[in-house]
């Protein structure tokens, strides 16, 4: 299975930031390893965070970014479709899919998913929900989850 774990918080002050009001903004995040075959995909469902910035990215097994010049391997809060229930659903596969919030592994069977955000010290994100399915089923599940939740 896929397990997200908290990783270390870093202050942005060391990066030359000046957030104002004497409060330090914090870069926080979650990371998880993944493994999918060529015909599989992951549906990752996260609550949309109300923070200044967040991103979700795919990394190779050595925590390096993957072919971002040619492929969609990361998304930010400004680059996603949010479902009516306030959740953001991603479909992660080896290659591009027709799902709006798709991400590509650039052919890597294994790697890492990282979810990072800049927010207040007490900003906590619920753990993402991850489901592994055949590619076509993953796309359908993500679409249906977004539609079903909006009817509640």
């Amino acid at each position: 299975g896929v397990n997200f774990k908290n990783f270390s918080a870093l202050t942005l002050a060391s990066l030359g930031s000046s957030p104002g009001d004497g409060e330090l903004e914090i870069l926080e995040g979650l990371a998880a390893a993944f493994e999918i075959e060529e015909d599989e995909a992951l549906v990752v469902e996260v609550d949309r965070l109300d923070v200044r910035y967040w991103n979700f990215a795919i990394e190779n097994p050595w925590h390096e970014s993957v072919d971002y010049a040619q492929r969609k391997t990361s998304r930010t809060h400004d680059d996603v479709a949010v479902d009516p229930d306030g959740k953001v659903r991603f479909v992660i596969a080896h290659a591009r899919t027709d799902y709006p919030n798709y991400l590509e592994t650039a052919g890597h069977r294994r790697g890492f998913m990282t979810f990072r955000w800049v927010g207040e010290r007490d900003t906590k994100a619920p753990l993402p929900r991850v489901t592994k399915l055949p590619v076509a089923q993953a796309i359908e599940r993500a679409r249906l989850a977004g539609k079903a939740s909006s009817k509640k």
Side-chain angles (χ1 to χ4, degrees), residues 36-37 39-43 91-93 97 131-135 138-139:
I36 57 174
E37 299 300 329
D39 62 342
E40 294 177 321
L42 299 174
V43 176
V91 172
I92 300 168
T97 68
T131 307
K132 185 191 305 189
L133 295 164
V135 174
I139 294 166

Side-chain angles (χ1 to χ4, degrees), residues 27 31 33 50 58 62 90 98-99 111 113 115 147:
L27 171 64
D50 185 22
I58 301 300
W62 302 277
F90 300 94
D98 65 351
Y99 188 72
M113 299 176 282
F115 183 44
K147 288 178 183 176

Side-chain angles (χ1 to χ4, degrees), residues 28-50:
E28 295 186 278
L30 304 167
F34 71 84
E35 182 173 348
I36 57 174
E37 299 300 329
E38 195 171 316
D39 62 342
E40 294 177 321
L42 299 174
V43 176
V44 179
E45 180 181 292
V46 297
D47 290 334
R48 185 172 151 254
L49 289 178
D50 185 22

